[in-house]
């Protein structure tokens, strides 16, 4: 299974019909449905991968001009990067990585309105970063900082503020390295004070805007 969250019934039917060991996990896209629609029960009992999601309609510069950039980042955090990880997903991928100013190149019959994480002009020149690039860069840098050869794990966390305002993902390694990815989905600045039950070697209690 490698399709939208909305097709959870199809994935569940595949898992129910399979013999133990036949299926290693399921893969998901976020074009329809929400992570919470699919990532539970039998689906969550096996590894979950979010393997594709592209933004579309506007080029990076148009997203800025039309004022949709911040909303695009917030949507990606909820549906591709952090939201699925909080439900057990082991990765979140944006696609395509690079396209030109015409949303191409494309295969015959493929979509012609997608934007990549970066736009690379077909005639040469500086690239432009899409809104989604910033979400991926922030989340991947933080998680990579707490990654070791033995792997890293999501750590349960709680917050005193309303959940819809601040989304928080905490990961840790056996070696005691931690990372925290936080997204402020509200309309005003939020000051965070991070406290650990078992404090990491550095950074406990630091405050960030």
């Amino acid at each position: 299974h490698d399709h939208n969250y909305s097709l959870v019934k199809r994935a569940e039917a595949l898992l129910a019909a399979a013999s133990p060991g036949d299926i290693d996990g399921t893969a998901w896209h976020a074009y329809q449905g929400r992570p919470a629609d699919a990532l539970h029960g039998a689906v969550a009992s096996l590894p979950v991968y979010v393997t594709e999601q592209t933004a579309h309609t506007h080029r990076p510069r148009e997203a800025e001009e039309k004022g949709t950039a911040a909303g695009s980042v917030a949507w990606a955090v909820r549906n591709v990067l952090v939201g699925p990880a909080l439900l057990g997903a082991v990765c979140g991928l944006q696609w395509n990585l690079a396209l030109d100013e015409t949303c191409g190149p494309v295969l015959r019959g493929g979509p012609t309105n997608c934007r990549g994480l970066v736009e690379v002009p077909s005639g040469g020149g500086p690239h432009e970063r899409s809104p989604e690039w910033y979400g991926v860069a922030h989340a991947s840098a933080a998680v990579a900082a707490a990654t070791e050869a033995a792997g890293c794990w999501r750590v349960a966390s709680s917050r005193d503020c309303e959940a819809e305002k601040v989304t928080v993902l905490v990961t840790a390694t056996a070696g005691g390295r931690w990372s925290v990815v936080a997204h402020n989905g509200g309309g005003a600045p939020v000051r965070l004070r991070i406290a650990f039950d078992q404090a990491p070697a550095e950074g406990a209690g630091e405050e960030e805007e």
Side-chain angles (χ1 to χ4, degrees), residues 51-76:
T51 56
E52 178 189 326
Q53 185 61 38
T54 185
H56 54 83
T57 304
H58 302 312
R59 295 171 58 193
R61 67 180 63 179
E62 292 171 343
E64 295 287 348
E65 294 167 355
K66 296 177 182 294
T68 61
S72 294
V73 175
W75 191 93

Side-chain angles (χ1 to χ4, degrees), residues 8 11-12 15-16 26 28 35-48 87:
V8 61
E12 290 173 339
L15 293 173
T26 55
W28 299 88
D37 296 337
L39 308 188
H40 55 76
V43 170
S45 69
L46 293 172
V48 168
L87 295 171

Side-chain angles (χ1 to χ4, degrees), residues 147-184:
T147 300
E148 296 174 352
C152 65
W153 296 266
R154 183 178 64 83
V155 178
S157 61
S158 62
R159 51 203 178 281
D160 294 333
C161 59
E162 298 176 33
E164 63 271 16
K165 289 185 178 180
V166 179
T167 303
V168 178
L169 172 66
V170 183
T171 61
T173 70
R177 303 175 70 188
W178 299 68
S179 74
V180 178
V181 178
H183 177 260
N184 176 15

Side-chain angles (χ1 to χ4, degrees), residues 190-209:
V190 173
R191 182 175 291 277
L192 300 180
R193 183 170 180 81
I194 302 170
F196 296 87
D197 289 338
Q198 180 179 348
E202 300 178 359
E206 291 182 354
E207 294 184 353
E208 302 243 352
E209 288 288 350

Side-chain angles (χ1 to χ4, degrees), residues 104-129:
V106 299
L107 295 173
R108 181 177 300 175
T112 58
N113 66 337
C114 300
R115 70 170 176 243
L117 280 183
V118 295
E119 178 182 300
V120 181
S122 56
H127 72 273
E128 296 184 21
R129 298 169 178 175

